[in-house]
DNA sequence: AACGTTACCGCAAACGTTTGCAAAAGAATA
DNA sequence: TATTCTTTTGCAAACGTTTGCGGTAACGTT
């Protein structure tokens, strides 16, 4: 379907001006008299002129597109961050393109390259869960600013928008201690998960702080954090001769699964076993008892990441330096730890 | 940060060829000998040549970008559709840009125009909830293919990927009749919501079919479909002297709220009142009792919408004709209607 | 030997915009 | 009046790519 695009040229001929004058007039260049500007703008309006972004981008070597790479858009926390990013980008004249990695490092590399080839100004990215080889990111960083959020890696020298995972986890465990729990279990991901290990660290620190023993039998790990794995591991925990009296789950999904299992075996929450999750996903108020969980302000993370990105794009400082932007979290106390 | 982009020119000079030959060689033009092609491709590889998409798009008047407009990415059904779209677009050489309307018709119009101005090849779109003025869409349709999904409007002459809302709702209500329910209430949105009215239609049809009276006191409407509104309206229903024995909610969120209220007042589900939702959101298996609901295959909707879009872009048929692609739904029966 | 074919390649224009530089016109100064 | 300065405008190049058309060389055919 053909479109009747009007160009600068048409405005120029119609007004007996040169193309350059028209261009400058529309861009409010100081060299152009107010009267000419008015005339030009009126004519542009009349002819429904819309600038050809491709030509503009081509000429100025600038696309004003920012790439976003996430494992999956259906993950609710990711979606919340995304929303923050989109909300912020609307205020600017940057558009965004979004791609998924599905937690596949190979795909991650492909997507990254495609985006660079596409000429994005910068890349906002959450690493996939088990990314080990960071060379694609280092390569990208040589060409464009890269900002990590959610799943980050301190080995990549770029700015990272994160929450203080250790403190957040410590705070959650502290709460369990405060309500009188002594045998606190943890359900986490395996060692190659960055965030999981951080939260585990917070868990250990708090136990130590309160002189509670770290019991290996209360530390459970698994590959993917899902409701089903939560169910399964909870079953393991309640089969222990020496049961825990609280379970700290490093994701809400784990926690949901745990609660399901505990209810199935008629274990009282939180009296017998208290449960705390991490993320404050929408599930946490659906499940009963409502879940005590760490609130991660996804929208704010997205917003700050986007703001920082624009800053890095527009200042021509070097952007290959590590920098950490930390977001405050807070623990939301609900029925699963407190009646 | 400067980037050392290699251009066709560099390959050409390095190989003592003309730019045109290099361009043709890389595009596998028949006029170029196999040997030259090999040489060129090897050199391109060596110099890490990446085509300048802007220049290419500018020259060919083609961006290979498809625009996606949705009310909000955090809505789980939307996210699922999005995933389907992204998954499909990966297989092609089209990229996507995503924008939100937040159910604001003004914003919708803006976003639509921005995308067109940006030179997208086509637009995939879910209308915002209360869009009344369809002229922006009609205008867009004059320039580019437009495909609607989820929230659609039959007044816009374009292809629409939909589920058979009436049949799906009828099927759900039928199920309630089958388990012996006679006073079936409905919680829906107001009359200006297209999907809601369709589902309401299915509700009425089924009642008529089984000679059940349509009782106005059992028909509740509200502005936005949320858990809280579900809670509130359920309370209204159970305060009726002649209570319903089942509630058909036109969204899962409504249903979740309803269940919460029913449990609060110790009303037995499904014995006293059965509940059915719509969408099969992730919440439906978190809530207890698990929710019987209509499964809308979001991934499939996204996939088909994308496929159709590419078809419309690449065939130069006229695309301003109404066409409906219907997706099958199925009712997932869980504890809220069946123990 | 003259001509036609085929296979391969290069020239140069074009896409719409921005921008350095020069030019023209008018205003101010000497 | 002649000179300089300021304001406003136009010329033309450039960005990287594709592509119509023309050209050359080699070969085959009469």
């Amino acid at each position: 379907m053909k479109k009747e695009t009007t160009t600068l040229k048409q405005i120029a001929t119609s007004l007996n001006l040169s193309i350059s004058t028209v261009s400058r007039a529309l861009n409010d260049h100081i060299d152009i008299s107010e009267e000419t500007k008015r005339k030009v703008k009126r004519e542009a309006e009349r002819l429904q002129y819309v600038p050809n972004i491709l030509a503009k981008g081509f000429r100025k070597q600038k696309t004003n597109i920012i790439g976003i790479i996430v494992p999956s858009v259906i993950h609710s926390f990711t979606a919340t961050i995304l929303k923050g990013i989109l909300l912020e980008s609307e205020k600017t004249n940057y558009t965004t393109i979004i791609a998924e990695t599905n937690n596949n490092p190979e795909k991650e590399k492909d997507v990254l390259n495609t985006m660079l080839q596409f000429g994005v100004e910068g890349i906002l990215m959450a690493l996939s869960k088990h990314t080990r080889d960071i060379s694609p990111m280092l390569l990208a960083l040589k060409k464009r600013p890269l900002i990590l959020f959610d799943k980050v890696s301190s080995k990549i020298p770029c700015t990272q928008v994160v929450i203080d995972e250790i403190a957040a986890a410590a705070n959650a465990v502290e709460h369990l201690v405060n309500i009188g729990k002594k045998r606190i279990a943890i359900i986490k991901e395996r060692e190659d998960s960055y965030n999981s290990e951080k939260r585990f660290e917070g868990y250990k620190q708090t136990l130590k702080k309160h002189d509670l023993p770290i019991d290996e039998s209360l530390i459970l790990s698994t590959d993917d954090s899902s409701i089903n794995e939560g169910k399964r591991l909870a079953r393991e925990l309640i089969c222990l001769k020496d049961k825990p009296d609280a379970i700290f789950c490093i994701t809400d999904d784990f926690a949901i699964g745990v609660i399901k299992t505990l209810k199935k075996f008629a274990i009282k929450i939180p009296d017998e076993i208290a449960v705390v999750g991490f993320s404050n996903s929408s599930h946490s108020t659906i499940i009963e008892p409502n879940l005590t969980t760490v609130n991660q302000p996804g929208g704010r993370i997205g917003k700050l990441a986007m703001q920082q990105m624009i800053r890095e794009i527009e200042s021509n400082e070097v952007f290959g330096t590590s920098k950490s932007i930390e977001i405050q979290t807070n623990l939301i106390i609900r029925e699963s730890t407190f009646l």
Side-chain angles (χ1 to χ4, degrees), chain A:
Chain A
M1 203 111 298
K2 304 295 145 275
K3 37 163 189 172
E4 319 293 328
T5 48
T6 64
T7 69
L8 289 183
K9 194 174 183 178
Q10 297 179 23
I11 301 179
T13 52
S14 146
L15 249 49
N16 262 333
L17 287 171
S18 75
I19 297 179
S20 16
T21 305
V22 174
S23 169
R24 276 189 262 255
L26 291 174
N27 290 327
D28 269 328
H29 195 285
I30 35 165
D31 272 2
I32 306 297
S33 70
E34 284 309 319
E35 194 194 335
T36 314
K37 281 184 189 172
R38 245 181 300 121
K39 273 198 306 187
V40 169
K41 286 179 181 170
R42 198 150 36 79
E43 187 69 2
E45 181 77 18
R46 198 177 67 76
L47 296 177
Q48 299 185 59
Y49 169 74
V50 293
N52 181 326
I53 307 246
L54 253 5
K56 184 181 262 177
F58 168 53
R59 169 61 222 238
K60 303 184 83 168
Q61 305 285 47
K62 205 154 172 359
T63 55
N64 273 27
I65 301 178
I66 292 173
I68 302 170
I69 302 177
V70 293
S72 170
V73 291
I74 51 172
H75 188 264
S76 79
F77 182 53
T78 309
T80 316
I81 296 179
L82 227 54
K83 195 173 180 65
I85 294 177
L86 292 179
L87 231 52
E88 188 63 25
S89 76
E90 272 164 23
K91 299 185 203 159
T92 72
N93 56 346
Y94 288 88
T95 30
T96 57
I97 65 182
I98 302 178
E100 291 189 325
T101 66
N102 291 314
N103 278 315
N104 177 351
E106 266 312 305
K107 185 92 170 292
E108 186 168 77
K109 184 180 166 187
D110 285 353
V111 159
L112 207 52
N113 286 330
T114 308
M115 285 207 170
L116 287 174
Q117 167 173 353
F118 195 79
V120 294
E121 308 286 340
I123 293 178
L124 292 169
M125 175 173 197
L127 295 177
S128 83
K129 206 181 298 181
H130 304 301
T131 303
R132 301 223 58 99
D133 177 20
I134 59 167
S135 60
M137 276 61 82
L138 295 179
L139 223 62
L141 198 50
K142 285 196 182 155
K143 303 192 177 178
R144 301 290 174 188
L146 175 73
I147 292 182
L148 299 178
F149 57 87
D150 194 20
K151 303 270 182 291
V152 305
S153 160
S154 51
K155 284 180 285 182
I156 303 176
C158 64
T159 92
Q160 330 223 346
V161 182
V162 293
I163 63 166
D164 187 340
E165 305 270 357
I166 297 180
N171 192 21
V173 177
E174 184 97 31
H175 167 64
L176 290 173
V177 174
N178 286 344
I179 61 172
K181 301 298 185 180
K182 304 247 181 275
R183 286 186 54 75
I184 302 173
I186 182 171
I187 294 183
K188 66 178 189 68
E189 293 173 0
R190 295 209 192 284
E191 290 67 27
D192 58 354
S193 163
Y194 181 85
N195 297 34
S196 176
E197 285 305 291
K198 288 279 184 187
R199 293 171 197 178
F200 183 39
E201 181 62 30
Y203 164 83
K204 285 186 292 188
Q205 282 184 10
T206 308
L207 292 193
K208 271 193 198 117
K209 176 179 167 195
H210 292 277
D211 289 324
L212 292 169
I214 293 181
D215 184 342
E216 288 294 334
S217 70
L218 297 183
I219 300 171
L220 268 50
S221 306
T222 183
D223 273 331
D224 66 312
S225 78
S226 66
I227 295 177
N228 276 334
E229 283 298 283
K231 284 183 185 172
R232 187 177 67 79
L233 295 175
R235 204 164 300 167
E236 284 190 19
L237 283 172
I238 60 179
C239 288
L240 256 40
K241 44 204 152 296
D242 201 0
K243 290 191 189 58
D245 55 11
I247 304 177
F248 171 48
C249 302
I250 63 117
T251 70
D252 275 356
D253 272 352
F254 277 148
I256 300 289
V258 166
I259 291 181
K260 291 262 183 197
T261 292
L262 295 185
K263 285 174 79 173
K264 188 168 178 182
F265 289 90
I267 294 174
K268 290 198 189 65
I269 307 172
D271 294 345
E272 291 180 62
I273 299 183
V275 181
V276 30
F278 207 111
S279 265
N280 192 26
S281 71
S282 63
H283 290 168
S284 52
T285 53
I286 305 291
I287 191 83
E288 289 174 354
N290 285 0
L291 181 65
T292 293
T293 186
V294 174
N295 181 43
Q296 287 179 286
R300 198 168 151 66
I301 292 176
K303 175 177 175 164
L304 287 180
M306 190 60 168
Q307 286 177 344
Q308 175 65 19
M309 173 54 78
I310 292 173
R311 218 171 293 133
E312 294 196 12
I313 290 174
E314 297 188 345
S315 82
N316 15 20
E317 291 170 30
V318 278
F319 45 77
T321 63
S322 289
K323 172 177 178 180
S324 182
I325 299 179
E326 281 202 351
I327 312 277
Q328 285 294 333
T329 61
N330 60 307
L331 186 69
I332 299 182
I333 297 171
R334 299 205 184 93
E335 303 158 2
S336 72
T337 63
F338 190 81
L339 230 34

